[in-house]
Amino acid sequence: MTLTILGIESSCDDTAAAVVRDTEVLSSVVYGQTDLHADFGGVVPEIAARAHAEKLDHCIEEALQNAGLKLVDLNGIAVTAGPGLIGGVLSGVMCAKGISAATGLPLIGVNHLAGHALTPRLTDQIPYPYLMLLVSGGHCQFLIVEAHDKYQRIGGTIDDAPGEAFDKTARILGLPQPGGPSVEKAAKSGDPKRFKLPRPLLNQPGCDMSFSGLKTAILRARDSVVAEKGGLTVQDQADLCAGFQAAVIDVLIEKTRRAMQLYLDLNPAKRSFAIAGGVAANGAIRDGLMQLCAGLETDFVAPPLRLCTDNAAMIAYAGIEMMRAGHRDDLTLTARPRWPLDQRAAPMLGSGKKGAKA
Ligand code: KG4
Ligand code: ZN
């Protein structure tokens, strides 16, 4: 049976609604909040929650209109129920509960990370199992995705997520937020070798990563340029960005190589690797991982950029898989600030600025 689901996402600083029919995205609307947080150098949870509460209705109306559908045409409502900034998650969950109570449509609470992790199935219908690198502003982990509700985490960051490090690097260098796209743009005209930057944990065994030292190294490098010349030129900024991005790529590629080895030891017949999360929008990171996969004769799936960053189509799609498996929530659905996908894995260290790491 065809399933048409409305997805709602409000766990960080994007208010999003989308309508997905099986694997077809009928509409996907994202209202960003970058301007609201611009003066504060980061996402302010209370401002985010209020903006979600104000915008959700309009966002949902627009998503339905773009899909040419009304609420009665839907089979269910999927909403991000965590992990994330609790006020924002609550805004979405309350809104979804309201619609469900008023229409009788089934309600499904979705893990935001599952939304990212299942995106390659929405875009490329990739079969289970596959290895995924989920890399965003709040998360960085290697997951073996075995089913919509079965994940094995085989490594991750022990401190900052790469997106957070991109955002902080941009802030340190006076570039606009979100930092990922501005650092990537500046890096294009930079020399990645001018500054010697660390590759944290690269020589340690396993797939765990660390990015907070890199950010401190950028701060020190900037301070020494400023001390020497009294300020930063555009070329200094570009060189620092290129050096930072090259260090992140080196770490991600080497750790992915190891994660792939671990994954292939467990699943020798299924050679597929996918990336998701906002940092997967980075062209240089995508290219590096693509080359790695080509060398390992492994399929590489990278969703289109608009489905890598936060969106509600991924939540609607995860809801479709859950609904097909018989999952339903009711009005007791709660918002969860922390919600690891792999409940058996030990919690990672650190809690991140953009929501708890899982
Ligand atoms: O997945 P996402 O939209 O939100 C969550 O964190 O869940 O990811 C946002 C993060 C931000 O830190 C942003 O700077 C980063 O993804 N990002 C990028 C790029 N585009 C977005 N990082 C590196 N390069 C990019 N092109
Ligand atoms: Zn996300």
Side-chain angles (χ1 to χ4, degrees), residues 102-296:
T103 57
L105 284 169
L107 175 70
I108 297 152
V110 173
N111 183 315
H112 176 87
L113 302 172
H116 281 303
L118 300 180
T119 300
R121 291 177 52 75
L122 165 65
T123 56
D124 293 76
Q125 289 81 55
I126 120 173
Y128 295 119
Y130 52 94
L131 177 69
M132 142 125 334
L133 170 60
L134 173 52
V135 63
S136 71
H139 303 281
C140 180
Q141 45 192 297
F142 289 108
L143 293 163
I144 298 175
V145 185
E146 292 169 44
H148 77 274
D149 57 353
K150 195 157 176 238
Y151 304 86
Q152 201 181 328
R153 198 186 67 214
I154 57 173
T157 182
I158 58 164
D159 43 50
D160 290 354
E164 219 172 331
F166 268 98
D167 293 341
K168 284 179 186 163
T169 295
R171 205 166 305 135
I172 290 167
L173 301 179
L175 296 169
Q177 296 294 318
S182 10
V183 170
E184 182 178 12
K185 190 163 161 229
K188 287 200 166 73
S189 45
D191 170 8
K193 298 219 168 73
R194 177 171 156 204
F195 295 96
K196 295 261 164 301
L197 296 166
R199 268 67 175 154
L201 293 189
L202 198 63
N203 298 321
Q204 304 279 320
C207 313
D208 283 346
M209 294 162 277
S210 160
F211 295 97
S212 72
L214 195 49
K215 163 199 77 197
T216 314
I218 286 285
L219 185 63
R220 294 227 178 86
R222 178 205 67 181
D223 287 350
S224 68
V225 175
V226 172
E228 194 187 315
K229 304 200 219 163
L232 286 183
T233 63
V234 170
Q235 192 58 49
D236 295 331
Q237 279 178 327
D239 293 344
L240 283 161
C241 286
F244 166 81
Q245 190 171 275
V248 172
I249 292 174
D250 283 354
V251 171
L252 288 178
I253 289 190
E254 180 52 29
K255 295 291 176 168
T256 301
R257 187 195 309 281
R258 290 185 207 167
M260 190 73 77
Q261 204 49 59
L262 269 175
Y263 165 74
L264 289 175
D265 288 347
L266 298 169
N267 301 278
K270 303 270 175 71
R271 303 180 82 90
S272 37
F273 171 70
I275 49 171
V279 180
N282 185 292
I285 293 176
R286 286 162 95 97
D287 288 350
L289 291 170
M290 199 190 306
Q291 279 169 23
L292 172 73
C293 285
L296 295 172

Side-chain angles (χ1 to χ4, degrees), residues 9 11-12 14 112-113 116 134-139 277-278 308-311 314:
E9 157 61 36
S11 66
C12 189
D14 290 302
H112 176 87
L113 302 172
H116 281 303
L134 173 52
V135 63
S136 71
H139 303 281
C308 278
T309 48
D310 282 354
N311 66 87
M314 66 179 190

